[in-house]
């Protein structure tokens, strides 16, 4: 691989006698990983159902390697939100942030959603996940992945860090910053990153990272935890950025991260020499079956305060309420009617922790339940993905080997006259091996396809 000379010289200084091992790692095949959505399926059940050859990633509780010749993104289980495809080292930051149900959590640079989906799973439907990305197009991909994973308690935002700060100062229990970076740790995975590095290298990104981390630090409550990560080796972007925050804000201190035998300590000598920086973690591709990564976990000193619930009184006009209630009565999942909001035709289930955020650019506030159209309610794709098969009163369950499964995902009308259902007409929750995929409308044994057009199998 044609690595930039300045990069090579710096890596020789950093790695010294390990440099040759690092260079040889470029001859190794990249590793492919998937992370199981444990809100939808247990690891034991997934291992029984999984059609691919997999083996555990030892430092990720719900992570597995798979063969790069497989195509897990072209499988019905992927469309059921049962797993997320993610590079193994990139799974590490979200696995090391101790998110608990009921926390308020910010994923600062969240797209396309690899880390946000894991944080959302940890919340178990309680608390609030604010997932932000400054790019609108990337935020749309983020929203899709969050909905695919069935995470209801979300606020998907498209804002700058300084704008978020005006609304969320000292609001979050936990914050994850997977910072935009020069990407040196991904050169083997994607050599095209090298040309981007040559245009905008470590100095460019270090300036951006320091602005982000200082603003995010002010959004963290006293007593909260902030995890900072990059996929680069650059000391300016890693230890240098962490030391910058510590110099700027005396409330912060580094915390030891849960380790693994292949993890390397941070390198104080690459910054100001403070021994505290050894609490950071470096992941090297010549020491682990993964690409390069850096992490630091910080604690904000002080006593944490508990967020109060949203006291907004949402009002639904009676006509809308009757139509909506008729459908919601078919669902056994608990839905607090006090937190349902109708905006125009669209119906949302809002997190109890949401604030009044007028003026913030966002793509989704809470769970989109569906739309009220001409005296009828049409449930959303997002609602289908949140539900379990046992939580709707009539389902059509297809086997993964049934050719109708892929036909459904392609948007085709299905003959399902051979399948026993609890309701012979109307809305059906369509499942693959009892894992929801989307909606269909049944009439005389024919299922009219209601699968989300933009999600269809191509």
């Amino acid at each position: 691989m044609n690595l930039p000379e300045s990069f090579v010289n710096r890596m020789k200084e950093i790695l010294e006698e390990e440099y040759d091992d690092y260079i040889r790692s470029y001859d190794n095949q990249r590793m492919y990983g998937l992370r199981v959505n444990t809100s939808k399926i247990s690891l034991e059940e997934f291992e029984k159902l999984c059609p691919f050859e997999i083996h555990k990633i030892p430092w990720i509780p719900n992570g597995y390697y798979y063969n790069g010749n497989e195509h897990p993104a072209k499988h019905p289980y992927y469309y059921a939100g049962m797993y997320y495809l993610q590079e193994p080292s990139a799974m590490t930051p979200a696995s090391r942030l101790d998110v608990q149900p009921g926390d308020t959590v910010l994923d600062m640079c969240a797209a396309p959603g690899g880390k946000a989906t894991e944080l959302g799973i940890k919340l178990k439907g309680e608390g609030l996940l604010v997932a932000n990305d400054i790019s609108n197009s990337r935020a749309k991909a983020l929203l899709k992945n969050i909905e695919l994973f069935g995470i209801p308690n979300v606020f998907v935002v498209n804002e700058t860090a300084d704008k978020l700060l005006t609304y969320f100062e000292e609001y979050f229990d936990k914050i994850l910053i997977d910072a935009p970076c020069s990407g040196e740790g991904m050169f083997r995975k994607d050599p095209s990153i090298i040309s981007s590095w040559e245009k905008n290298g470590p100095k460019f990104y270090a300036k951006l990272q320091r602005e982000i981390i200082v603003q995010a630090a002010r959004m963290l409550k006293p007593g909260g935890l902030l995890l900072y990560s990059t996929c680069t080796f650059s000391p300016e972007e890693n230890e240098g950025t962490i030391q910058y925050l510590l110099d700027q804000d005396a409330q912060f201190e580094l915390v030891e991260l849960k380790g693994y035998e292949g993890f390397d300590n941070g390198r104080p000598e690459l910054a100001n020499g403070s021994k505290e920086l050894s609490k950071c973690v470096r992941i090297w591709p010549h020491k682990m079956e993964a690409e390069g990564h850096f992490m630091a976990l910080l604690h904000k000193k002080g006593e944490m305060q508990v967020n109060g619930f949203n006291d907004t009184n949402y009002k639904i006009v009676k006509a809308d309420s009757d139509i909506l209630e008729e459908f919601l009565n078919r669902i056994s999942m608990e839905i607090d009617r006090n937190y349902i909001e109708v905006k125009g035709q669209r119906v949302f289930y809002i997190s109890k922790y949401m604030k009044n955020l007028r003026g913030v650019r966002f793509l989704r506030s809470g769970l989109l339940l569906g739309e009220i159209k001409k005296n009828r309610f049409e449930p959303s794709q997002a609602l289908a993905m949140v539900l379990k098969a046992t939580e709707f009163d009539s389902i059509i369950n297809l086997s993964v080997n049934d050719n109708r499964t892929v036909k459904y995902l392609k948007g085709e009308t299905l003959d399902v006259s051979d399948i026993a259902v609890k309701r012979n007409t109307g809305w059906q929750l369509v499942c693959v091996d009892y894992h929801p995929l989307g909606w269909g409308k049944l009439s005389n044994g024919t299922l009219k396809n209601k699968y989300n057009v933009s999600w269809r199998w191509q």
Side-chain angles (χ1 to χ4, degrees), residues 394 396 414 416-417 419 421 423-428 440-448:
S394 192
I396 289 177
L414 303 181
V416 292
S417 55
I419 298 176
V421 291
R423 288 185 178 231
N424 293 322
T425 60
W427 289 104
Q428 308 289 320
K441 212 164 186 182
L442 186 61
S443 177
N444 298 321
T446 299
L447 187 76
K448 185 177 181 181

Side-chain angles (χ1 to χ4, degrees), residues 10 89-90 93 109 111 115 133 138 177-187 192-210 212 228-238 241 292-295:
R10 183 161 50 78
S89 67
C109 310
K115 297 170 178 68
D133 202 274
R138 285 170 55 83
I177 306 171
D178 186 45
C181 71
S182 61
E184 296 170 353
M186 297 294 151
F187 282 179
S192 68
I193 294 173
I194 294 172
S195 61
S196 299
W197 184 93
E198 291 173 325
K199 293 177 182 177
N200 292 313
K203 288 183 179 179
F204 171 86
Y205 285 104
K207 181 178 182 296
L208 181 60
Q209 291 154 0
R210 294 174 191 196
I212 291 172
Y228 173 88
S229 66
T230 71
C231 59
T232 197
F233 303 127
S234 155
E236 301 99 312
E237 300 176 72
N238 293 334
T241 295
H293 232 76
F294 172 88
M295 295 181 297

Side-chain angles (χ1 to χ4, degrees), residues 342-347 370-374 377:
V342 177
K343 297 180 181 177
Q345 293 181 311
R346 308 178 94 193
V347 183
E371 296 186 53
I372 296 171
K373 295 181 176 180
K374 297 180 181 178
F377 178 76

Side-chain angles (χ1 to χ4, degrees), residues 148-346:
L148 183 65
F149 250 50
I151 298 168
N153 49 327
V154 295
F155 186 49
V156 180
V157 195
N158 174 214
E159 276 294 1
T160 59
D162 58 339
K163 183 67 173 289
L164 287 180
L165 178 58
T166 63
Y167 291 87
F168 288 111
E169 188 159 4
E170 292 195 347
Y171 181 78
F172 294 104
D173 301 300
K174 312 284 165 61
I175 294 177
L176 190 145
I177 306 171
D178 186 45
C181 71
S182 61
E184 296 170 353
M186 297 294 151
F187 282 179
R188 179 177 67 175
K189 175 186 173 184
D190 184 2
S192 68
I193 294 173
I194 294 172
S195 61
S196 299
W197 184 93
E198 291 173 325
K199 293 177 182 177
N200 292 313
K203 288 183 179 179
F204 171 86
Y205 285 104
K207 181 178 182 296
L208 181 60
Q209 291 154 0
R210 294 174 191 196
E211 292 172 357
I212 291 172
I213 198 170
V214 168
Q215 290 164 332
R218 292 177 59 191
M219 289 186 259
L220 189 69
K221 292 179 185 175
L225 293 172
L226 185 154
L227 195 143
Y228 173 88
S229 66
T230 71
C231 59
T232 197
F233 303 127
S234 155
E236 301 99 312
E237 300 176 72
N238 293 334
E239 290 89 350
T241 295
I242 297 304
Q243 189 58 54
Y244 179 81
L245 174 63
L246 296 174
D247 291 341
Q248 292 288 315
D249 195 334
Q251 295 180 87
F252 279 85
E253 59 186 353
L254 277 160
V255 179
E256 295 277 2
L257 276 157
K258 181 182 177 183
Y260 173 69
E261 60 184 0
F263 289 177
D264 203 359
N265 293 331
R267 302 284 294 276
E269 72 276 12
L270 300 178
N272 69 346
S274 170
K275 292 182 179 179
E276 283 294 293
L277 293 173
S278 63
K279 293 178 180 176
C280 302
V281 166
R282 282 177 170 268
I283 296 176
W284 298 100
H286 63 286
K287 291 188 173 184
M288 297 175 68
E289 291 186 314
E291 306 304 321
H293 232 76
F294 172 88
M295 295 181 297
L297 182 62
L298 298 126
H299 172 253
K300 192 172 188 177
K301 301 170 189 175
E303 185 175 347
M304 183 175 287
Q305 300 296 314
V306 177
N307 286 336
F309 284 164
N310 180 357
D311 59 2
T312 301
N313 183 23
Y314 297 113
K315 294 182 179 179
I316 308 173
V317 300
K318 189 174 188 307
D320 289 345
S321 180
D322 291 345
I323 294 166
L324 180 60
E325 197 64 31
E326 182 181 354
F327 185 88
L328 293 184
N329 284 337
R330 301 181 62 183
I331 297 172
S332 62
M333 181 183 84
E334 183 180 349
I335 296 177
D336 186 338
R337 303 312 198 253
N338 293 316
Y339 290 92
I340 291 178
E341 181 181 22
V342 177
K343 297 180 181 177
Q345 293 181 311
R346 308 178 94 193

